[in-house]
Amino acid sequence: MNTALWIGAGLLAAVALTGGFTKVFVPTAKLAEAPGGQWTGDAGDGFVKALGGLELLAAVGLILPAAVGVAPVMVPVTAVCWVLLMVGAMVTHGRRGEAKFVALNLVYLALAVFVAVGRFGPW
């Protein structure tokens, strides 16, 4: 189970790192042209950058605390925060009629719930 939780946290961290890096370093106008990124055209540049920063922090929070053994409770706390972020993403994509991105965010949400429950539990 511990291995499955590490794999789940690693996958989520990779998604968070990719999304965060993109939102922080790619211009918002260019993001708005990409599939699934059209919502950024309706959002402020600062909001998009802030979300990207939070995603970068999530990538760190899903791996580093458990890896170094300092405050490992931050891993499930970060996973719960990721669940909340995915709920927001699902609402945003749902309002825009982007069903395939709602489904993708649902997969990320389920993986985050798995990590949160597993890491808050005995593993």
Side-chain angles (χ1 to χ4, degrees):
M1 180 60 94
N2 189 45
T3 302
L5 289 168
W6 270 107
I7 291 169
L11 289 172
L12 282 178
V15 168
L17 186 63
T18 303
F21 185 84
T22 303
K23 287 179 187 79
V24 169
F25 296 109
V26 174
T28 306
K30 188 169 182 175
L31 287 175
E33 297 171 3
Q38 291 87 0
W39 67 269
T40 59
D42 300 333
D45 192 49
F47 179 72
V48 174
K49 301 294 182 205
L51 278 179
L54 290 174
E55 289 181 11
L56 291 173
L57 289 173
V60 172
L62 286 164
I63 300 295
L64 194 61
V68 298
V70 176
V73 72
M74 289 308 296
V75 173
V77 168
T78 302
V80 168
C81 292
W82 188 261
V83 167
L84 297 174
L85 185 67
M86 289 301 101
V87 168
M90 290 169 63
V91 168
T92 299
H93 288 296
R95 286 181 179 167
R96 298 181 61 84
E98 301 169 338
K100 65 181 177 181
F101 293 108
V102 172
L104 180 62
N105 291 137
L106 184 60
V107 170
Y108 296 151
L109 183 144
L111 190 55
V113 167
F114 171 71
V115 171
V117 170
R119 290 295 180 208
F120 273 132
W123 299 284

